[in-house]
Amino acid sequence: MNKIANTIQSQTEKQSFQDNPQLFCNTILTKEIETFKGTYKAQDFPSAILYIPFSSLTITRETIQEKNKLKYTIALFDSTKTPSALLIFEYPENSLKTLLLSINLIITLSFFLLLIILIIINTKILIPFQKFQEYPKKIANGSTEKLPESKNKYFGKYIWAMNMLRDKINNDHKIINKMILDRQTLNSTIAHGIKTPLTNIKLYSDAIQTGLYSKGEKQNEKDIEIAGKIEKNADDIQELLNDLLNNSTKAIYEYEPSLTTFYSQEIKDFILTEYENKFQMNHIPYEITVTNNALVNTDKDGIFHILYQLLDNAIKYGDGTLIKVLIDCQKDGLYISVTNNGVPVKDDELNYIFNSFWRGSNAGQKEGQGIGLFEARQISKAIGADLFVKTQSFQTIFLLFCPN
């Protein structure tokens, strides 16, 4: 409409069409419409165009608003910028219906397309990211579960990199533990190797001071003084050896507790999230029972770290027939028991089960370094809890108690 109006406007500024303006207007429109047909669609053209000069203007409401027709009016101006005529463009009403239908169809398709895009973003990016962002923390807490491999173009490389990082951390942890064990073995060997000659030095020093070798002769005061200094130095060495022997039975492990408040049901949710697939892959039946979903105030991460150790041991050293976890909140505190079937540790070995780098005779050729239960006991002490173990004929039961 604007292009047609501009064409007629330019002509009216050049000359007057008062004699027969409608005829000349229709001539121009016929010529211009043929030109516009190559650019615009058929439904964009009006069915009729009225040219009404203001000099003979007789416009009624019916002229502008006619049933089943849509009319658009554009004013034309002469060379003095004075309104000279009106152009009335007529369109059949069905053309607007087609336009509205097209617009509604485009809006509907756009809505569904946007909805599909949001669903894809949610399922492919947001939901996986919520799971992945917890994985580094799980690695720090001792999780041994790998992220499932995926060809997801958004997170495929991330999963591969995180699993590679997990393997690297685990390997480094094994190397560090091996170095600690070697260091402690060396310390213990050196300490025991020095202990015997040191005892002899102290005996010789004592003999000199008591005059055992003087054979009735008067003792040399200088010899007695020197023997006393030798004995004192020997005592100092003995204290260093005792510290060395004590340190050789301990691993270097520190844990800083952080108390939080949570519901006991979260412990079950954690076990299912971390171990349900592992139980199923190893075809191990399991039972996880929460007696009451009570509010607990303790170190949640510490509890989870302990459970990593206990459940990994239950899978590794159990016979695979059953693993049971009982989560029970009582007035005095939280009780968590982990029970697995299988050949238990011998009774005379139970006192050593929480020692660092110690493994029971039932371990066989299974992989391990004897550090997991030691760390679990150290964490339980750090958070003010107690960790116990007892055995039955064909069962091993670990009990963690967190007092209120």
Side-chain angles (χ1 to χ4, degrees):
M1 290 190 296
N2 288 330
K3 285 184 175 293
I4 294 173
N6 289 336
T7 301
I8 297 175
Q9 175 71 55
S10 62
Q11 297 296 329
T12 57
E13 292 176 354
K14 295 178 180 179
Q15 51 187 311
S16 175
F17 308 112
Q18 300 301 324
D19 295 335
N20 195 343
Q22 183 64 51
L23 176 62
F24 190 81
C25 178
N26 289 341
T27 302
I28 295 176
L29 295 178
T30 302
K31 179 181 177 182
E32 294 298 329
I33 286 176
E34 289 300 324
T35 304
F36 293 151
K37 281 183 179 180
T39 307
Y40 301 98
K41 297 179 181 178
Q43 60 265 29
D44 294 332
F45 294 98
S47 58
I49 302 176
L50 301 179
Y51 181 91
I52 305 177
F54 281 123
S55 58
S56 59
L57 187 60
T58 304
I59 302 176
T60 64
R61 185 179 184 87
E62 288 73 18
T63 305
I64 299 177
Q65 295 181 343
E66 186 176 348
K67 188 177 181 181
N68 296 329
K69 288 186 178 181
L70 297 173
K71 296 190 176 184
Y72 300 91
T73 304
I74 297 178
L76 298 179
F77 300 85
D78 58 18
S79 57
T80 63
K81 305 301 180 182
T82 302
S84 60
L86 287 180
L87 279 182
I88 299 178
F89 295 82
E90 293 184 350
Y91 287 87
E93 189 176 4
N94 60 354
S95 65
L96 181 62
K97 291 182 178 179
T98 303
L99 178 61
L100 292 176
L101 180 62
S102 300
I103 293 175
N104 289 332
L105 182 61
I106 291 173
I107 292 174
T108 303
L109 291 177
S110 299
F111 171 77
F112 282 107
L113 180 60
L114 179 61
L115 183 62
I116 292 172
I117 292 173
L118 291 176
I119 292 174
I120 293 174
I121 291 175
N122 186 58
T123 55
K124 297 292 186 180
I125 298 177
L126 297 182
I127 293 178
F129 182 74
Q130 288 177 350
K131 295 179 180 178
F132 296 153
Q133 66 181 355
E134 294 294 327
Y135 190 64
K137 184 178 180 180
K138 291 179 181 179
I139 294 177
N141 283 339
S143 173
T144 59
E145 187 73 14
K146 283 189 173 184
L147 284 172
E149 296 294 340
S150 172
K151 294 182 179 179
N152 187 317
K153 63 180 180 180
Y154 303 108
F155 294 104
K157 289 185 178 180
Y158 173 83
I159 294 173
W160 174 81
M162 290 304 298
N163 285 335
M164 188 175 179
L165 175 62
R166 171 201 166 276
D167 292 338
K168 182 67 167 59
I169 291 175
N170 286 342
N171 289 334
D172 289 347
H173 190 61
K174 290 178 181 179
I175 293 173
I176 291 172
N177 287 338
K178 179 66 168 55
M179 293 175 64
I180 294 174
L181 177 60
D182 292 342
R183 189 205 67 181
Q184 292 177 351
T185 302
L186 177 62
N187 290 346
S188 181
T189 301
I190 292 174
H192 286 288
I194 295 176
K195 188 175 183 180
T196 299
L198 184 64
T199 303
N200 292 335
I201 291 173
K202 293 180 67 175
L203 288 175
Y204 291 140
S205 173
D206 186 61
I208 292 173
Q209 293 182 75
T210 57
L212 182 62
Y213 303 114
S214 61
K215 297 181 180 180
E217 298 177 2
K218 185 180 180 180
Q219 289 181 272
N220 189 320
E221 295 296 331
K222 192 66 175 180
D223 291 344
I224 295 174
E225 181 183 353
I226 293 174
K229 291 181 178 180
I230 292 174
E231 185 175 11
K232 181 180 183 304
N233 289 331
D235 289 338
D236 292 341
I237 296 174
Q238 182 66 54
E239 290 182 6
L240 293 175
L241 287 178
N242 290 337
D243 291 340
L244 196 61
L245 286 172
N246 290 333
N247 290 332
S248 68
T249 60
K250 298 178 182 178
I252 301 174
Y253 186 83
E254 296 181 358
Y255 182 81
E256 291 294 332
S258 176
L259 297 181
T260 55
T261 301
F262 60 98
Y263 286 96
S264 55
Q265 177 66 32
E266 294 183 40
I267 301 175
K268 179 179 179 180
D269 295 339
F270 158 77
I271 296 173
L272 291 175
T273 300
E274 295 297 315
Y275 284 93
E276 186 173 28
N277 289 338
K278 188 177 290 188
F279 289 151
Q280 292 175 353
M281 289 178 61
N282 289 278
H283 307 289
I284 301 175
Y286 63 93
E287 297 176 7
I288 304 173
T289 305
V290 180
T291 57
N292 54 329
N293 188 22
L295 204 59
V296 181
N297 183 30
T298 186
D299 187 339
K300 182 166 66 172
D301 288 339
I303 296 293
F304 291 171
H305 199 140
I306 293 171
L307 287 175
Y308 276 129
Q309 304 295 347
L310 300 183
L311 291 170
D312 283 346
N313 274 11
I315 294 173
K316 185 188 299 183
Y317 300 114
D319 62 359
T321 58
L322 180 64
I323 291 177
K324 293 194 299 184
V325 179
L326 175 63
I327 304 164
D328 186 20
C329 289
Q330 300 291 342
K331 291 182 179 180
D332 56 342
L334 171 67
Y335 293 84
I336 303 175
S337 65
V338 177
T339 305
N340 67 271
N341 294 339
V343 179
V345 174
K346 295 179 180 179
D347 292 339
D348 57 355
E349 296 179 338
L350 280 178
N351 292 333
Y352 309 102
I353 197 168
F354 293 111
N355 287 357
S356 60
F357 301 107
W358 183 90
R359 304 188 72 200
S361 57
N362 66 332
Q365 300 299 317
K366 295 182 177 69
E367 182 182 357
Q369 296 175 309
I371 193 68
L373 291 179
F374 172 81
E375 291 184 354
R377 170 64 73 86
Q378 294 299 106
I379 294 174
S380 66
K381 290 180 180 179
I383 66 177
D386 290 311
L387 183 60
F388 308 95
V389 62
K390 67 176 182 178
T391 59
Q392 297 177 357
S393 59
F394 206 66
Q395 279 187 336
T396 301
I397 304 169
F398 285 94
L399 177 63
L400 177 67
F401 170 62
C402 301
N404 290 330

